[in-house]
Amino acid sequence: MQDEDIALNSVLGLELNRVFFAIRETANKQKIIEFAREVLQGEREDLTESVLPEGPAS
C-alpha cells in the first residue's frame, strides 16, 4: 500500500506542476499554492496522529 501511495503522490505532484505552469494569472497560482499547503499540512497531521502512541504519556 505504501508503494501505491508514493506512486500516486508522484503522479499528483507532476499533475499539479503541469497545471501550475499552465496558469498564467499570479492570483490563481497563489490559490493553488495555498491549497497544496493545506493538503500537505493535513497529511502531516494525519501521519503524526498515526505515529504517536495513544494514551497518556508516562
Side-chain angles (χ1 to χ4, degrees):
M1 183 70 173
Q2 186 177 7
D3 290 339
E4 292 174 3
D5 290 342
I6 291 170
L8 180 60
N9 286 340
S10 295
V11 170
L12 291 173
L14 290 172
E15 188 64 17
L16 180 61
N17 193 40
R18 184 190 68 78
V19 169
F20 184 79
F21 285 105
I23 295 173
R24 299 199 189 283
E25 296 83 19
T26 303
N28 287 335
K29 286 184 178 184
Q30 188 61 37
K31 288 179 185 177
I32 291 172
I33 292 169
E34 290 170 7
F35 174 75
R37 284 182 179 152
E38 289 174 12
V39 170
L40 286 173
Q41 183 62 32
E43 291 291 322
R44 287 181 183 140
E45 289 171 0
D46 291 346
L47 181 60
T48 302
E49 290 173 2
S50 68
V51 172
L52 292 176
E54 294 184 16
S58 45

